[in-house]
Amino acid sequence: MRTPPRILVIEDDTDVREQLLATFRDEGYEVTACGTVREGKALLKSTGFALVTTDLRLPDASGLEVVRHIQASCPDCPVLVLTAFASVDSAVEAMRHGAFHYLAKPFSVNGLLVEVERALEHARLLRERSQLRERLSAESGLGRILGGSPAIESVRGLIREVARTSTTVLITGETGTGKELVANALHYESPRATGPLVKLNCAALTETLLESELFGHEKGAFTGAERSRAGRFERADGGTLFLDEISEMGPHVQAKLLRVLQGEAFERVGGDQPLRPDVRLVAATNRDPQQAVAEGKLRQDLFFRLNIVCVEVPPLRKRPEDIPLLARHFLGIFADRFGRGQASLDDEALNALCAYPWPGNVRELENCIERAVIVAQDGTVRRRNLPAPISGIEAEPPGAPLNLEALEKRAILQALRETGGNKSQAAAKLGIFPSSLYKKMKRFDIPLQPEP
Ligand SMILES: Nc1ncnc2c1ncn2[C@@H]1O[C@H](COP(=O)(O)OP(=O)(O)OP(=O)(O)O)[C@@H](O)[C@H]1O
Ligand SMILES: [Mg+2]
């Protein structure tokens, strides 16, 4: 059985106090009572209460003092003020200081019990909401963005700052860097966290469809519009709208979006009712937005409007110190998923992962670990379990003769790979002069410019 809520009654009039005690006890509450503010504070220090009722006029101080004290020391505990001085002024003053509600004496027992129930329910909802927020943050917010590099720390810091506001945010970064995670965090760390998070990929739809998806349409607005439909903007009311691949949006929709961002109302396609939902817009692109502007793909004025705050997610090669942590994180996930028990990465594999430039960023690392967990049968991922470009181990046709020239070519390719195509470093690694390296590259048909 659940323990009954504990109520503290602060009341100097013995008759009223006894009546309150009896009423609350009859209802099954646990009750403690006292007659002064000083005693009340002492009890609050030693015992946890779910609710406090206090008189306003007490012998040693005002009940307002109780309200202020509780606001400061246990703000989750609601306070009901019971006052014989039904002056609106003092009651309003008490509520201004954080009292949940007030009742004027004489009050009806039922009226009191209803208020008590309401206050307890309110406190319970607040508690639940703060627990929910913590969970959302851990599971969908900042808790999901791993990495201890200064670059990622500063991304997290920026998210924390901007999440509190409702400003438009532009997220840039190469493919697979974690832009969607950033968008999620901006939502789940914000006061809008319990509102909707609505996502739309602008590259996936034709311009006409995109317009009706975003802004909605009325029945009959176009062929096939059999019903009226709210757009993503309307559905994101009170929450966040995430527009992915923003630079792929057609010019007509860009113009409409710009007007909305400038605070104008919009209508559904074929509708005439002006709409103005309360939405925080987050946009992302994996292109360089300035270049998209220069190429005439993205309107400059829209870019300025979106770019009020810009979160740049750095590519993985610029924060290689995050690779071991991310690799082990994904290893744990996939080992679990494929029932591999405790999986591990050996040092050689880890070194190979850290040396690779990851053009596909975290997503490529994630896919690589998934595959490695599958191919490493005993739960230990070794270098040879990684794809050739990462391990540097070329697959050898079975039974191939041990040919000195082939070995030489392989060594050269590997040295070029490890030095990112830098010929003098590669030559140094191989212990030959750069001029001989050039000659050998020519002989083996190795292109002088590394492939992109
Ligand atoms: N810092 C990180 N910590 C943990 N996982 C991450 C991190 N960054 C990215 N990921 C994971 O990598 C994958 C790719 O991330 P995400 O989809 O957010 O990338 P993106 O930048 O939106 O890529 P694209 O431009 O291709 O859409 C996801 O599975 C995501 O969970
Ligand atoms: Mg994405």
Side-chain angles (χ1 to χ4, degrees), residues 144-147 152 173-181 244-245 286 319 326 329-330 362-363 366:
R144 284 283 306 280
I145 303 178
L146 305 180
I152 281 295
E174 292 175 14
T175 180
T177 44
K179 294 184 294 299
E180 185 150 356
L181 289 189
D244 207 354
E245 306 209 35
N286 53 25
R319 44 180 164 113
L326 287 168
H329 165 71
F330 294 128
V362 185
R363 182 179 298 112
E366 183 175 3

Side-chain angles (χ1 to χ4, degrees), residues 130-146 180-189 193 197 199 329 333:
S130 90
Q131 283 164 359
L132 179 65
R133 266 170 203 249
E134 269 169 40
R135 227 185 61 210
L136 287 175
S137 164
E139 289 175 5
S140 317
L142 285 170
R144 284 283 306 280
I145 303 178
L146 305 180
E180 185 150 356
L181 289 189
V182 171
N184 290 345
L186 282 167
H187 175 72
Y188 289 111
E189 301 293 337
L197 168 60
K199 300 182 178 181
H329 165 71
I333 290 181

